[in-house]
């Protein structure tokens, strides 16, 4: 329990409280009042194309101007048609003729405590050199480069080097398994793999190259592999296929002009879970995405040139793509980048970093906040956090109790909190308080950003009554939106545009209160969110069923104090006796198949699974059981009621 649990209850009871920005904060903010926000939002709503046109003209560098702002051929959008730009140019070269040239772009800290600072000019040089190294390996415009690297500056360098030459990066979070890498490499027909010998995580070495070796054995399209020496351990280097990063860099020229790329040239693919087993390669393109993340970064984080920003996400997720790489760097921001775990060598590591670098804006996930609460206030109390002026959250809803702790303990009751709702698919933040303009309500992501037109509808597309919950949709295209699923237009149409006519279906439920504040109410599909990581139930179930002793499996999430949602799986065993050893073996097996973050928190053994007459697993009921609820939901379609009774009795 948190050390100050008693005071939580009190504050949670007053959850309806509203936290308005202080006059001092508002007076210095980019957007200073609710009225100013509303004017901007209305302007964008009335004429979205004119609104984005005005911004795009000045905020991006155009090698060639565009001739049309939006070409909307539902559900396919093209923004800034005919224009040519380059995201790497916008992030780097644009700053080189300004005093930003010598500004720190990245203040990096490795988990063991090593540090590096890269100014914009230094970062530019490294990116140019690595872009030439990629060219030397035969990488051409449009080729897919798969990146499986630790949170080192080279990960950012690799992404920007791809963008510079028009190669498409597919970053795979360095916690994924060899199987998961191979699946993604094959789906994208990746040509080159980038990795490191190993990475640090909680004092341990993650054997990245070893995992990549296993993945490449099953990724026939990958011809070359570049290995960063991060730790210096012994790794297998395959002659003709594998190259050391430092060897390539030694010979590479630092002269590599950014390639003028079509606005709609693909910038990256990022795989995310959907409601079917196969991960979807979300496809983002150049100009619209770049513009959207830059502008939302400036609006939501109220970024000022003297600020030090820190987003604790990993570049393996969309948050890192948008708010470590493309947003902050396009905006000329100075940011902290940290390689490792929040509790290494101790539970105060994040606060130590905040104090040391005097971080002003701090952006993290609710799951981390709940872990800090559990670890106890004493770790926070050791450090001076007075540099902080703004806090943010992302990835899942934040419970009001955690919000209050964040506000009080980290924000010293003076920092606004921006609860940012968005998705891999949306490219950037869609709903969030603008910190100088919109009062926060703990647990609500508040209001849509300018240019975002949400709608809450029932099945069929009818709007719900005010205050009622329904499916959250976005009614108009926006520049940061996904352009499709890699190689699968049908799935794109079916998944996002078929259920509600004319609108983008987010997959989340939400309600909007009388003040126009949005409250996200979880997913409508078979996607679960564990510690801010999106997984589909089917992915986990397929992983389990691939074990020889599993006949059938069902995965559900249930509320958890720290993780927000924990992963429970129900398993029908074959050719073995249920045992604790098997339980552990199955957990490890899922870890191996998907990645350690997906290991189930609990494994329940069962003789049968509750199913509807049409054979669909009733996850809703399993969820109730996993959450320890006595009363389960509606069972009228349940095939065999005995199953439930047996599960309840923990019969194995
Ligand atoms: O369900 C919503 C939840 O995370 C989903 C998107 O996951 P992903 O594509 O992995 O991107 C995470 C980082 C942007 C959403 O559909 N989600 C994200 N942010 C919030 C949230 N739920 C509630 N409140 C949020 N602030």
């Amino acid at each position: 329990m948190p050390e100050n649990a008693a005071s939580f209850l009190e504050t949670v009871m007053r959850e309806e409280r509203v936290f308005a920005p202080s006059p001092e904060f508002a007076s210095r903010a980019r957007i200073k009042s609710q009225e100013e926000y509303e004017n901007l939002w209305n302007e964008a709503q009335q004429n979205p194309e004119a609104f984005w046109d005005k911004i795009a003209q000045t905020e991006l560098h155009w090698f060639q101007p565009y001739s049309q702002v939006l070409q909307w051929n539902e559900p396919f959008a093209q923004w800034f048609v005919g224009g040519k730009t380059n995201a790497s140019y916008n992030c780097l070269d644009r700053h080189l003729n300004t005093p930003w040239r010598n500004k720190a772009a990245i203040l990096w800290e490795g988990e063991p405590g090593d540090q590096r600072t890269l100014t914009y000019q230094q970062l530019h040089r490294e990116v140019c050199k690595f872009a030439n190294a990629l060219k030397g390996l035969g990488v051409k415009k449009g080729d897919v480069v798969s990146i499986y690297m630790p949170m080192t500056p080279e990960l950012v360098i690799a992404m920007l080097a791809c963008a510079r030459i028009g190669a498409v990066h597919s970053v795979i979070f360095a916690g994924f398994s060899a199987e998961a890498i191979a699946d993604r490499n094959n789906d994208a027909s990746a040509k080159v793999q980038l990795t490191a010998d190993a990475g640090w995580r909680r004092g341990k070495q993650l054997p990245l190259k070893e995992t990549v070796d296993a993945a490449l054995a099953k990724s026939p399209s990958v011809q070359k592999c570049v290995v960063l020496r991060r730790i210096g351990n012994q790794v297998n280097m395959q002659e003709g296929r594998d190259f050391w990063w430092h060897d390539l860099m030694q010979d590479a020229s630092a002269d590599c002009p950014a390639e003028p790329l079509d606005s709609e040239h693909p910038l990256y693919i990022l795989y995310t879970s959907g409601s079917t087993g196969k991960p979807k390669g979300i496809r983002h393109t150049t100009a619209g995405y770049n513009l959207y993340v830059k502008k939302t970064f400036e609006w939501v984080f109220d970024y000022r040139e003297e600020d030090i920003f820190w987003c604790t996400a990993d570049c393996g997720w969309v948050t890192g793509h948008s708010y470590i790489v493309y947003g902050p760097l396009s905006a000329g921001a100075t940011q902290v980048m940290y390689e490792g775990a929040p509790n290494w060598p101790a539970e105060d590591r994040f606060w130590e970093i905040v104090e040391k670098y005097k971080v002003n804006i701090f952006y993290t996930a609710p799951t981390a906040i709940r872990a800090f609460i559990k670890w106890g206030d004493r770790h926070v109390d050791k450090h001076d956090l007075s540099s902080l002026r703004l806090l943010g959250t992302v990835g899942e809803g934040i419970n009001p109790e955690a919000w209050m702790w964040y506000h009080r303990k980290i924000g010293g009751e003076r920092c606004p909190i921006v609860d940012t709702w968005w998705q891999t698919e949306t490219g950037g933040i869609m709903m969030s308080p603008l910190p100088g303009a919109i009062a926060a309500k703990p647990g609500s992501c508040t209001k849509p950003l300018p240019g975002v037109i949400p709608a809450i509808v029932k099945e069929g597309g009818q709007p719900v009554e005010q205050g009622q919950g329904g499916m959250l949709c976005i009614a108009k295209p926006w520049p940061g939106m996904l352009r499709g699923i890699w190689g699968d237009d049908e799935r794109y149409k079916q998944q996002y545009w078929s259920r509600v006519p004319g609108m983008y279906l987010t997959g989340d439920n939400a309600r909007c209160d009388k003040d126009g504040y949005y409250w996200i109410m979880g997913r409508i599909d078979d996607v679960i969110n564990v510690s801010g990581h999106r997984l589909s139930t089917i992915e986990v179930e397929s992983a389990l069923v691939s074990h020889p002793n599993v006949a059938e499996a069902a995965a559900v999430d249930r509320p958890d104090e720290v993780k927000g949602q924990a992963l429970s799986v129900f398993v029908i065993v074959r050719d073995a006796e249920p045992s604790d050893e098997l339980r552990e073996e199955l957990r490890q097996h899922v870890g191996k198949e998907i990645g350690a973050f997906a290991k189930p928190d609990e494994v329940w053994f069962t003789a049968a699974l509750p199913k509807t007459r049409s054979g669909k697993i009733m996850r809703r009921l399993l969820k109730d059981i996993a959450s320890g609820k006595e009363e389960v939901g509606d069972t009228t379609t349940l095939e065999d009621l005995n199953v439930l009774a047996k599960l309840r009795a923990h019969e194995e």
Side-chain angles (χ1 to χ4, degrees):
M1 282 297 276
E3 288 168 0
N4 45 2
S7 58
F8 280 168
L9 291 174
E10 191 192 48
T11 42
V12 173
M13 304 281 277
R14 282 186 276 144
E15 189 208 306
E16 283 301 309
R17 283 202 310 195
V18 174
F19 292 80
S22 69
E24 198 211 338
F25 189 99
S27 68
R28 292 196 60 196
R30 282 175 187 257
I31 299 170
K32 297 181 170 53
S33 65
Q34 171 132 351
E35 194 190 351
E36 206 178 313
Y37 155 76
E38 278 164 10
N39 290 341
L40 208 57
W41 194 85
N42 289 332
E43 185 193 329
Q45 195 233 7
Q46 278 150 21
N47 193 343
E49 293 177 36
F51 177 81
W52 289 114
D53 184 22
K54 195 168 72 186
I55 299 177
Q57 304 249 357
T58 53
E59 301 280 326
L60 297 183
H61 169 81
W62 296 99
F63 293 101
Q64 180 180 302
Y66 48 88
S67 53
Q68 193 182 352
V69 177
L70 171 65
Q71 202 177 86
W72 179 228
N73 181 8
E74 191 193 313
F76 298 100
Q78 291 189 49
W79 284 88
F80 310 112
V81 183
K84 286 198 193 299
T85 184
N86 182 298
S88 176
Y89 188 99
N90 290 318
C91 288
L92 302 168
D93 308 49
R94 264 204 127 189
H95 309 306
L96 296 185
N97 293 324
T98 73
W100 264 239
R101 179 165 73 101
N102 294 320
K103 191 175 190 270
I106 297 177
L107 304 166
W108 179 78
E109 178 151 318
E111 195 185 73
D114 39 346
Q115 294 174 48
R116 279 162 68 193
T117 298
L118 286 158
T119 64
Y120 274 93
Q121 184 165 284
Q122 288 169 329
L123 186 61
H124 173 260
R125 185 180 161 81
E126 296 292 303
V127 168
C128 288
K129 288 181 77 173
F130 195 65
N132 277 328
L134 288 175
K135 282 188 191 167
L137 293 177
V139 176
K140 300 212 162 49
K141 186 166 143 184
D143 285 345
V144 176
V145 174
S146 167
I147 305 182
Y148 185 76
M149 292 177 72
M151 277 290 283
T152 52
E154 282 77 9
L155 172 49
V156 178
I157 291 165
M159 291 165 76
L160 292 173
C162 289
R164 197 161 189 86
I165 62 174
V168 184
H169 57 71
S170 163
V171 183
I172 302 169
F173 172 61
F176 274 110
S177 66
E179 294 296 325
I181 303 171
D183 279 353
R184 286 156 177 74
N185 284 350
N186 292 329
D187 186 77
S189 305
K191 191 166 167 187
V192 167
Q193 178 77 58
L194 311 180
T195 189
D197 52 356
W200 288 113
R201 187 76 193 177
R202 211 161 290 132
K204 290 209 192 85
Q205 294 181 12
L206 295 176
L208 302 181
K209 177 61 164 61
E210 207 179 296
T211 306
V212 159
D213 284 337
L216 294 192
K218 295 182 188 166
S219 314
S221 60
V222 177
Q223 298 155 13
K224 302 270 166 38
C225 174
V226 182
V227 187
L228 173 75
R229 183 172 278 154
R230 164 66 186 124
I231 286 182
N233 60 334
Q234 200 62 42
V235 294
N236 154 53
M237 294 292 280
Q238 189 176 310
E239 184 70 34
R241 186 194 73 180
D242 299 348
F243 302 84
W244 285 109
W245 179 291
H246 54 264
D247 287 343
L248 298 179
M249 288 296 263
Q250 202 169 23
D251 304 330
S253 146
D255 180 21
C256 182
E259 174 88 21
L261 297 170
D262 193 89
S263 292
E264 285 297 332
H265 185 76
L267 176 62
Y268 68 80
I269 315 171
L270 185 56
Y271 284 86
T272 187
S273 297
S275 50
T276 66
K278 191 169 166 276
K280 301 176 284 196
I282 301 300
R283 183 161 60 85
H284 281 291
T285 60
T286 302
Y289 171 82
N290 196 168
L291 180 71
Y292 195 72
V293 296
K294 178 178 189 207
K295 218 48 224 171
T296 51
F297 173 73
E298 292 173 351
W299 282 333
V300 173
F301 299 107
D302 189 43
Y303 182 72
R304 293 205 291 257
E305 65 180 63
E306 69 273 25
D307 279 330
I308 295 181
F309 174 75
W310 182 20
C311 165
T312 69
D314 191 287
C315 288
W317 309 109
V318 73
T319 307
H321 283 62
S322 301
Y323 299 108
I324 294 178
V325 184
Y326 295 106
L329 296 177
S330 303
T334 296
Q335 65 179 320
V336 168
M337 179 178 178
Y338 170 58
E339 179 186 33
N343 54 349
W344 187 265
E347 282 78 3
D348 66 339
R349 186 63 184 272
F350 274 14
W351 317 125
E352 186 188 283
I353 293 176
V354 168
E355 179 174 10
K356 178 164 155 193
Y357 295 92
K358 300 206 182 331
V359 171
N360 306 109
I361 307 170
F362 178 73
Y363 190 34
T364 198
T367 184
I369 296 169
R370 288 187 297 265
F372 300 137
I373 296 174
K374 194 181 95 178
W375 293 335
D377 289 2
R378 64 185 184 283
H379 301 292
V380 184
D381 293 337
K382 277 192 214 153
H383 298 282
D384 174 8
L385 305 183
S386 60
S387 60
L388 292 172
R389 68 176 195 90
L390 177 63
L391 305 175
T393 66
V394 59
E396 57 181 314
I398 178 162
N399 38 319
E401 173 180 328
W403 195 100
M404 289 306 304
W405 182 89
Y406 199 32
H407 168 71
R408 197 171 45 227
K409 205 64 214 167
I410 307 303
E413 297 185 355
R414 74 182 175 279
C415 303
I417 297 179
V418 290
D419 173 348
T420 64
W421 174 84
W422 57 295
Q423 310 176 295
T424 305
E425 292 87 341
T426 67
I429 298 167
M430 299 293 275
M431 294 206 241
S432 166
L434 293 176
I438 298 179
K441 295 187 189 183
S444 165
C445 57
T446 75
K447 303 209 173 211
L449 297 188
V452 174
I453 323 267
I456 301 178
V457 302
K458 298 183 231 185
E459 199 71 56
Q462 292 302 321
V464 296
E465 311 230 325
Q466 139 95 138
Q468 266 184 0
M471 299 189 286
L472 176 63
C473 295
I474 309 293
K476 289 266 170 66
W478 66 101
M481 68 190 283
L482 77 164
R483 298 302 196 267
I485 294 177
W486 191 260
D488 202 343
D489 283 350
E490 267 320 299
R491 192 172 172 200
Y492 169 64
K493 285 190 207 158
Q494 194 265 331
Q495 179 94 37
Y496 302 106
W497 300 92
S498 62
R499 219 160 136 184
V500 179
M503 292 190 195
Y504 166 78
L505 180 74
T506 67
D508 283 349
N509 281 319
R511 72 182 166 85
C512 182
D513 71 16
K514 60 180 188 339
D515 302 322
Y517 278 55
Y518 286 80
W519 301 78
I520 304 295
M521 299 162 68
R523 302 281 308 183
I524 56 181
D525 50 20
D526 289 332
V527 171
I528 51 187
N529 191 327
V530 177
S531 300
H533 296 146
R534 212 165 117 177
L535 291 170
S536 81
T537 50
I538 294 169
E539 273 172 293
V540 179
E541 289 158 8
S542 315
L544 283 163
V545 174
S546 72
H547 188 280
N549 297 126
V550 176
E552 208 179 338
V556 297
D557 54 357
R558 62 153 178 85
D560 179 84
E561 208 182 304
V562 176
K563 294 174 124 187
Q565 307 284 301
L567 177 60
S568 300
V569 299
F570 293 80
V571 168
I572 303 175
V573 173
R574 67 162 179 220
D575 302 334
E577 285 303 310
S579 66
D580 284 345
E581 289 73 47
L582 182 58
R583 228 179 224 124
E584 189 48 33
E585 196 177 314
L586 294 179
R587 292 186 66 245
Q588 297 303 336
H589 181 72
V590 176
K592 187 177 139 281
E593 291 292 308
I594 304 177
F597 64 91
K599 277 186 200 163
D601 296 284
E602 292 124 15
V603 179
W604 298 63
F605 293 117
T606 175
L609 290 167
K611 286 190 184 162
T612 62
R613 282 183 182 84
S614 62
K616 215 168 178 281
I617 296 172
M618 299 181 81
R619 293 202 181 77
R620 190 163 44 84
L621 300 183
L622 294 174
K623 210 168 156 148
D624 288 347
I625 291 167
S627 328
K629 277 196 198 151
E630 277 301 313
E631 290 292 318
V632 294
D634 180 20
T635 56
T636 44
T637 51
L638 186 64
E639 173 76 351
D640 176 6
L641 278 168
N642 275 334
V643 172
L644 268 189
K646 283 187 190 157
L647 272 171
R648 278 275 195 56
H650 282 239
E651 226 172 70
E652 292 186 342

